[in-house]
Amino acid sequence: MDGFAAVEFGFAREVLQRGIAALYLVAFLSTLNQFRPLLGERGLLPAPDLLAWATSSRSRRRMLRPTLFTRLRYTDRRLVALCWADMAIAALLVIGLPQLAPPWVPMICFLLLWGGYMSIASIGQTFYSFGWEMLLLEAGFLAAFLGSADQPPPTVVIVLFWWLVFRLEFGAGMIKIRGGREWRDLTALMYHHETQPMPGPLSRQAHLLPNWFHRGEVIGSHFAQLIVPFFLFAPLGALWLPELPWLLIGSIAATIIILTQLWLVLTGNFAWLNWATIVIAFSAVALPIPSAAERPGIPLYWIIVTSAIGILYLVLSWPALRNLFAHRQLMNASFNRWQLANAYGAFGTVTKQRIEFVVEGTADADPDAADWREYEFKGKPTDLRRVPRQFAPYHLRLDWLMWFLPLGHSLEDWFTMFLVRLLEADPATLRMLRRDPFEGERPAWVRVVSYRYRFATRAEHRESGAVWVRDRRHVLVRPLGLGR
């Protein structure tokens, strides 16, 4: 590192800019496919209703985070146009074209992605309440100030990415240590692979590994999240003692974080959370350049702009820093309207059993003597013989919210409307499912049945081919019909 210029982090900048842009592309694609049936004009939680409430008074407007749709009336067509426009910008950034221009060009591109996605997430309600939404927003904002390909990345922005990784990893580690006992007695991963929101193709194999391996996983998680993040800042030592291998230390720390995240990618479906962590962890991977003569400079105006961003973050980061060491640590919390310098964390407790709500329908007139058939979701378990699929970094929002339902005390409003949409055989809603047992026709009744699911043992799998075993059947929602 050479003062304002992080000359050894050109490769890191390439990964950050292109990787974050690729994640925005996935996020807008997910929104394009799912926002309208979930939150559109005829959605389960219509965004226009929220906007009408929020814009009815100044105090309510302040409760809503910034969104274009308080100034421009929401319509599904405008939502689609916003998604396609930002997907085009993200694709250009993935290719690298804006990065060939002066630094203000990629800055504008990333700020457009940031502003566009904030406009969507701000009205996304419970379907956009995940921690990786604000992570993507913060990463996109920082990426706007990484500069162009013909100059080294600014030191202050690279350091801010380290600070983001630190809050993400160390915050998650502290949440675990302060959370459920299973993280302290090293048993958490004896359950997690089976009970996580959306298992992947290798989750069952990971769950069936011996207990000593699962204890090792927890120890490795604590090491990667509570100790390693401090070493991300090691390259700053090169500013004072350049003869020591500070860059190598930071790169090793980043590699450890990347490897642990890859294990999570292999064994689960956490939307873009793990992929975003991998991408931003590359900010600490340094590739030394041969000589000072080959080092281009950074324009003065860009030094001023990025220094101002550094000062802004110095001010905004105090609540997040204090939160890391607070007795009542907040998880996935934002301390300002722009969702910058946030607090992160996940899975402070691990559920010990998997409860699934299975939605069934029938075309029979008499529900008491009916032949009930199950609706199948794309990601969440239903069919006992179906191996879970890999969807991440794509985000199946309906499937994720279905996992949270059994953890609550009552059924949420959106779920009631979801059942109504099934009774109506609403095409947009049915497209979010893997299989409609009525092939587009209206059922006479729907109901919800609760089961406990667990992974089949190796012996059970050999005998029947089952991936899942379920029991403890309980009718949660009695038959519902339109007009009944």
Side-chain angles (χ1 to χ4, degrees), residues 279-299:
V279 169
I280 62 177
F282 266 96
S283 63
V285 175
L287 295 179
I289 62 175
S291 67
E294 300 176 15
R295 301 177 182 179
I298 300 178

Side-chain angles (χ1 to χ4, degrees), residues 243-257:
E243 66 276 5
L244 296 180
W246 301 111
L247 298 178
L248 178 61
I249 294 172
S251 297
I252 292 173
T255 301
I256 292 172
I257 292 172

Side-chain angles (χ1 to χ4, degrees), residues 10-26 89-100 106 110 113 136 139 143 146-149 161 275 279-280:
F11 173 74
R13 192 250 309 277
E14 290 291 321
V15 175
L16 289 168
Q17 288 179 323
R18 295 171 190 256
I20 292 170
L23 293 174
Y24 268 99
L25 183 60
V26 172
I89 295 172
L92 291 175
L93 287 164
V94 171
I95 296 170
L97 290 182
Q99 294 91 308
L100 300 177
F110 274 109
L113 296 182
L136 185 61
L146 282 168
S148 298
F161 269 106
W275 284 110
V279 169
I280 62 177

Side-chain angles (χ1 to χ4, degrees), residues 323-339:
N323 180 69
L324 287 173
F325 302 98
H327 179 66
R328 296 183 180 273
Q329 180 186 358
L330 299 178
M331 181 174 71
N332 296 327
S334 180
F335 305 100
N336 54 77
R337 287 174 53 80
W338 305 101
Q339 301 195 64

Side-chain angles (χ1 to χ4, degrees), residues 170-475:
F170 188 72
M174 293 299 289
I175 282 285
K176 292 179 175 67
I177 289 296
R178 292 169 170 155
R181 180 180 177 181
E182 61 272 11
W183 287 109
R184 296 187 295 275
D185 65 16
L186 309 183
T187 61
L189 292 210
M190 297 178 188
Y191 308 99
H192 171 74
H193 296 298
E194 180 178 74
T195 64
Q196 63 182 303
M198 196 164 21
L202 299 179
S203 297
R204 177 175 166 271
Q205 285 78 0
H207 174 70
L208 295 176
L209 291 169
N211 286 342
W212 63 262
F213 184 88
H214 293 313
R215 293 183 186 276
E217 284 183 289
V218 178
I219 294 172
S221 174
H222 291 333
F223 176 72
Q225 294 188 323
L226 294 172
I227 298 175
V228 171
F230 288 93
F231 293 93
L232 293 170
F233 299 96
L236 291 175
L239 296 174
W240 296 278
L241 297 171
E243 66 276 5
L244 296 180
W246 301 111
L247 298 178
L248 178 61
I249 294 172
S251 297
I252 292 173
T255 301
I256 292 172
I257 292 172
I258 290 168
L259 291 175
T260 58
Q261 292 298 315
L262 285 173
W263 174 245
L264 297 176
V265 167
L266 288 173
T267 58
N269 272 299
F270 295 97
W272 53 79
L273 173 62
N274 305 125
W275 284 110
T277 307
I278 289 169
V279 169
I280 62 177
F282 266 96
S283 63
V285 175
L287 295 179
I289 62 175
S291 67
E294 300 176 15
R295 301 177 182 179
I298 300 178
L300 177 60
Y301 80 91
W302 197 242
I303 292 176
I304 295 172
V305 169
T306 54
S307 297
I309 295 300
I311 294 171
L312 172 67
Y313 250 79
L314 192 63
V315 175
L316 294 179
S317 292
W318 172 244
L321 177 62
R322 185 173 54 187
N323 180 69
L324 287 173
F325 302 98
H327 179 66
R328 296 183 180 273
Q329 180 186 358
L330 299 178
M331 181 174 71
N332 296 327
S334 180
F335 305 100
N336 54 77
R337 287 174 53 80
W338 305 101
Q339 301 195 64
L340 303 176
N342 308 306
Y344 299 99
F347 292 100
T349 59
V350 174
T351 53
K352 305 300 191 299
Q353 59 179 0
R354 182 180 199 92
I355 304 298
E356 290 287 351
F357 288 174
V358 176
V359 182
E360 299 177 337
T362 181
D364 298 338
D366 182 3
D368 295 327
D371 174 31
W372 293 94
R373 288 177 279 175
E374 298 178 353
Y375 289 89
E376 291 187 24
F377 290 73
K378 294 178 180 179
K380 96 178 197 71
T382 306
D383 182 357
L384 301 182
R385 299 174 67 91
R386 184 170 182 254
V387 176
R389 302 300 193 261
Q390 185 68 42
F391 289 97
Y394 191 82
H395 188 7
L396 294 176
R397 299 180 183 278
L398 178 63
D399 297 63
W400 265 82
L401 266 293
M402 287 293 296
W403 180 82
F404 281 104
L405 280 179
L407 306 181
H409 298 293
S410 61
L411 296 180
E412 299 187 34
D413 291 343
W414 69 263
F415 185 64
T416 303
M417 186 54 65
F418 173 65
L419 298 178
V420 172
R421 291 288 184 260
L422 294 182
L423 287 166
E424 295 172 343
D426 177 60
T429 301
L430 294 175
R431 280 195 294 271
M432 292 191 294
L433 304 179
R434 177 176 178 261
R435 189 177 74 88
D436 168 23
F438 304 100
E439 299 181 348
E441 298 297 322
R442 288 188 175 188
W445 304 89
V446 295
R447 70 178 184 182
V448 182
V449 182
S450 172
Y451 289 94
R452 183 186 70 170
Y453 273 65
R454 64 171 177 82
F455 277 130
T457 64
R458 292 186 178 90
E460 289 169 331
H461 181 68
R462 284 193 300 268
E463 181 180 348
S464 64
V467 175
W468 297 96
V469 175
R470 68 184 185 185
D471 57 13
R472 296 188 183 179
R473 179 179 177 275
H474 169 66
V475 178

Side-chain angles (χ1 to χ4, degrees), residues 50-172:
L50 172 67
L51 287 163
W53 175 87
T55 55
S56 62
S57 70
R58 287 187 176 181
S59 59
R60 290 178 177 179
R61 185 186 291 266
R62 285 196 296 269
M63 296 172 64
L64 194 67
R65 296 190 187 279
T67 174
L68 292 172
F69 295 113
T70 55
R71 301 180 180 276
L72 184 69
R73 184 176 66 86
Y74 173 90
T75 66
D76 286 348
R77 287 188 175 184
R78 286 172 177 167
L79 183 280
V80 170
L82 177 63
C83 288
W84 278 113
D86 278 316
M87 286 169 63
I89 295 172
L92 291 175
L93 287 164
V94 171
I95 296 170
L97 290 182
Q99 294 91 308
L100 300 177
W104 58 266
V105 175
M107 179 190 73
I108 291 176
C109 289
F110 274 109
L111 290 181
L112 287 172
L113 296 182
W114 173 67
Y117 198 70
M118 182 180 293
S119 293
I120 293 168
S122 296
I123 60 174
Q125 304 170 73
T126 189
F127 291 104
Y128 280 75
S129 61
F130 302 92
W132 47 77
E133 315 286 4
M134 65 175 67
L135 174 61
L136 185 61
L137 286 170
E138 184 170 1
F141 178 83
L142 291 178
F145 303 97
L146 282 168
S148 298
D150 64 346
Q151 57 191 244
T155 298
V156 64
V157 180
I158 292 295
V159 172
L160 288 177
F161 269 106
W162 300 344
W163 172 228
L164 174 56
V165 182
F166 183 89
R167 281 180 282 123
L168 181 61
E169 287 292 280
F170 188 72

